[in-house]
Structures are given as C-alpha cells and as structure tokens.
Amino acid sequence: MREAFGEKFDVPAGYLNTAAIGLPFARVADTLVGTIAQWRAGALQLADFDADVVAARNAWARLVGVAPSDVATGASVSQLIGLVAASVPDGTKVLAVHNEFTSVTFPFAAQRHRGITVVEAKPAELLSQLPGHDLVAVSAVQSADGAGLDLDELRTAAEAAGARVLIDVSQAAGWQPLQLHWAEFVVGAAYKWLLAPRGAAWMAVRRDALADVVPQVANWFGAEDIWSGLYGLPLRLARDARRLDLSPVASRGVVYEPVSPVGVS
C-alpha cells in the first residue's frame, strides 16, 4: 500500500500508466466492492446513487471552471460528443488536429450524410486554419503523444474566426489547471487522471449553446424532477444541462471528489 496526496493506493512503485487507466484510491475500490456486495444481496436501490452523482458533477465542474448547472453526465466521451455532432446544422465544417483521438472526431465524421465535413490540420497550423470553419474539436492534451494545446491562444483564435469550440479534457482534467467557461463544449472521462472507474463522463455546455443541442437520448434521469419523470408524456426535461444526462451506471455512484493534482509515481 502506498500513499500520495492524502490517499492510499494498491500499486507497485513506478506505475506510470495513469494516462491510459488511472488507479483508484483504495477507498474507491473498497466502495465499488461494497456496492457489488449490496447488489448481489438485493440491497441496492437506484436512488442510493443520487447524492454521489451530484457530488461528482459539482467536483468536475470545479475542475474545469464552470457552474454545475452547465454540466451533463454521461457514460463516455464519444456518447456526449455524439449529442453535439448529431445537433450541429447540416453542412457544418469541423476542424480537428491530425491524428486526434477518434472519440473526438468519429462522431462528426459519422454525420457526413448531412454534409458535415471534418478537416484535419497539423498541430502547428490548427489556429491559422480556423477561419472558414464552424467548430473546432480538439483535445487539451493529446492522447497519442501528450502534446498540449495553448488554450488561451485557442480561445482568441476561435473568437476571431467566429467558430465554436469543443475541448476534450480527458488527458488534462485532474492535473492541469483549467478555466474553460468560455468554450461552448468541454467533455472528459473519469477513468484516467480522475482515478475513477470507467463508465462515467461529463460535458459542460455553455448556456447560450444548450438550446442547440438536441437531447437525442432523452430519458427519465434528465427530467426536471427525476422521480416524477418516470412515466408518461409530455416531455418534461430539465432546463439546464441535466436535460442531456444519461441515467447513472453503477460506477457513477463511486466517483468521489477528485484530488488535485493526482497521480502516483
């Protein structure tokens, strides 16, 4: 057992693969095991996760510098970006970095039947190629090689070009200070630097962009009042970003408030 940042980890010295799969705190792993024990004994209720979902949403909002009411919770980066990709107008021109992680680009490329185009730019040429594009979709830190993006320069260039911004912070949130309230869409997964189980992800949607995102997977958990939204019409979704929520998977019930910075060396 090793200790770092006030937490205990069951890990041998020298673990350096957090960028692929982050290690859980011992208490997170213990809670997950305990949850499975409750499940197999029939002692688990879906409402048991409500407070943890709220805590995780609030913690992630703080990590990226947005209000919790602007954050939707989902299962994966591609699922959340897929909501954006399915909602952009026909003919939207998307700019991405060459060799970008496919969970960022594939959701848009899959919309080619609507005239959506995705153009890849070399990292050094990304900002200069922004004019003429409607949206830029890019990772704050690249999965392939760890290259970081100057987010202040991205903001300036996007505002000058009149382009919306989607940023994947999966490789940045938890160790890199982030203040991304200015970006239309900020998405990230839990299982890397946030040291949580797979199956949880979040997306911040700037308030002036929320009305443009169609809740393609509308469900009871996105209702204004969750527990009165279980049956029957009319549609009654939350007015904030919760309208885009998926109902929680079990792992979302064991996402604790992340420590920052995180990692074990």
Side-chain angles (χ1 to χ4, degrees), residues 88-113:
V88 297
D90 293 357
T92 293
K93 297 178 180 178
V94 179
L95 181 65
V97 169
H98 176 70
N99 210 35
E100 176 63 79
F101 191 61
T102 53
S103 288
V104 176
T105 54
F106 273 17
F108 293 102
Q111 296 290 325
R112 61 183 178 275
H113 61 284

Side-chain angles (χ1 to χ4, degrees), residues 51-177:
D52 294 313
V53 173
V54 171
R57 191 194 310 270
N58 291 344
W60 196 83
R62 287 196 298 273
L63 282 175
V64 300
V66 303
S69 59
D70 294 333
V71 175
T73 181
S76 70
V77 165
S78 60
Q79 173 256 320
L80 290 166
I81 293 179
L83 294 176
V84 179
S87 300
V88 297
D90 293 357
T92 293
K93 297 178 180 178
V94 179
L95 181 65
V97 169
H98 176 70
N99 210 35
E100 176 63 79
F101 191 61
T102 53
S103 288
V104 176
T105 54
F106 273 17
F108 293 102
Q111 296 290 325
R112 61 183 178 275
H113 61 284
R114 297 199 295 116
I116 309 301
T117 57
V118 183
V119 174
E120 294 182 302
K122 294 179 180 178
E125 299 174 358
L126 179 74
L127 301 185
S128 64
Q129 290 193 26
L130 254 174
H133 291 88
D134 303 299
L135 183 146
V136 55
V138 64
S139 294
V141 176
Q142 287 294 315
S143 174
D145 57 12
L149 181 67
D150 189 316
L151 297 174
D152 290 332
E153 291 185 358
L154 174 64
R155 178 181 184 178
T156 299
E159 289 176 351
R164 284 185 162 180
V165 177
L166 184 152
I167 304 173
D168 177 6
V169 297
S170 296
Q171 296 288 5
W175 67 267
Q176 184 178 35

Side-chain angles (χ1 to χ4, degrees), residues 14-33:
Y15 184 84
L16 298 173
N17 200 30
T18 304
I21 299 179
L23 295 168
F25 314 153
R27 63 188 175 99
V28 168
D30 290 343
T31 301
L32 183 58
V33 171

